[in-house]
Amino acid sequence: MPEPSSAPVHVTVTGAAGQVAYATLFRIAAGEMLGPDTPVVLRLLEVEPAMDALEGVAMELQDGAFPLLADVVTTSSAETAFEGTSWALLLGASPRTAGMERGDLLTANAGLFAPQGRAIAAGAAADVRVLVVGNPCNTNCLIAASHAPDVPRDRWFAMTRLDENRAKAQLAHRAGVSVAQVTNTAIWGNHSATQYPDAAHALIGGRPAPEVIADDAWLDGEFVSVVQQRGAAIVAARGKSSAGSAASGVIDSVRSIAEGTPEGDWTSLGVISGGEYGVPEGLVFSYPVESDGRGWKVAEGLKHDAAAQRRLDATIEELVKEREGVADLLK
């Protein structure tokens, strides 16, 4: 295999000794995220107590002998981690502990995401794009972006592609088809139990999913609840949160942004709302997003019935409350 000739792209991964990062990093190094002709420098950020574990990850990356992996930088300094980076994948977050309220979790995460936002603003490349994965990812994204006001608003994303992938898999299984047959599946709102997995606009083999499945009770009930609660079900089953599937969500999200979405299709991403579909401006809200690889826009013209609108209102309300709860941290 000839050596890549282009200059390496710097990719920052936070929480880099964690299980989601472990499932993601080798795929990035192998070229799955940015393509087989794009060399990368991985800039790996961890807290000081995890640096020994991170060095072990770095050794494994070296031992993988990936032709596209130009260098690995390990650090506990946000300033070093984000220096010159074009892709910032914010996987690390403060975990929820016993007795912790959601508001407490948001406040704890501000201590991570506010400084990271400032470090991105200070040192990242001019073309930087940021994907926030660490939960609660929508509002963590909002916090980080608020501390990097000079980074354009269209560079910030929160990951809901994992939820979309879960929804596609459920629809495919119910219809008895390959998941490749399922398109136009949108996740609206928050990456939480209030999210709205939208089967009404999904297509299966080019036909409306409700027409193919012909079971409105399942589509409006079990389908929605399974997708909303899938993360908790995985924790209950394996004792750990999603890692491999989360890594796929990261890879899929970046590829959709960088390469574009298929003609007539979209991907689900949390983006800073411009008021589309009546969502308050400034919330980080998951929409169906169309990309051409150079820029993106929220898919237009989708209609929601009264039941769907109630679900949208519920997830909007939750995100508004989250924003109000961290208002003092957005400065």
Side-chain angles (χ1 to χ4, degrees), residues 197-270:
D198 179 3
H201 296 101
L203 301 177
I204 299 176
R207 296 167 57 203
E211 176 185 308
V212 173
I213 292 176
D215 188 342
D216 290 345
W218 182 83
L219 288 169
D220 295 337
E222 184 179 339
F223 165 71
V224 173
S225 61
V226 165
V227 177
Q228 289 176 334
Q229 301 293 336
R230 189 67 164 186
I234 289 170
V235 171
R238 70 185 293 262
K240 297 178 181 179
S241 58
S242 305
S245 57
S248 289
V250 172
I251 300 295
D252 291 343
S253 295
V254 172
R255 289 183 63 177
S256 292
I257 297 165
E259 297 178 7
T261 50
E263 183 70 26
D265 200 359
W266 53 63
T267 190
S268 300
L269 283 167

Side-chain angles (χ1 to χ4, degrees), residues 101-220:
E101 298 295 332
R102 191 171 178 87
D104 298 328
L105 180 64
L106 289 165
T107 300
N109 273 290
L112 294 176
F113 287 88
Q116 288 179 9
R118 290 192 290 268
I120 289 168
D127 65 349
V128 67
R129 284 171 282 189
V130 185
L131 177 68
V132 179
V133 178
N135 287 316
C137 63
N138 294 59
T139 299
N140 285 342
C141 183
L142 179 64
I143 291 169
S146 72
H147 289 271
D150 293 334
V151 177
R153 289 160 59 95
D154 64 357
R155 307 287 187 80
W156 297 90
F157 308 93
M159 190 178 83
T160 54
R161 179 59 182 262
L162 172 56
D163 304 299
E164 178 191 324
N165 288 348
R166 289 166 169 168
K168 286 180 173 178
Q170 292 298 314
L171 293 172
H173 181 73
R174 188 72 174 188
V177 301
S178 163
V179 73
Q181 296 294 308
V182 183
T183 63
N184 300 84
T185 310
I187 302 296
W188 301 80
N190 202 2
H191 176 64
S192 75
T194 69
Q195 65 176 263
Y196 172 43
D198 179 3
H201 296 101
L203 301 177
I204 299 176
R207 296 167 57 203
E211 176 185 308
V212 173
I213 292 176
D215 188 342
D216 290 345
W218 182 83
L219 288 169
D220 295 337

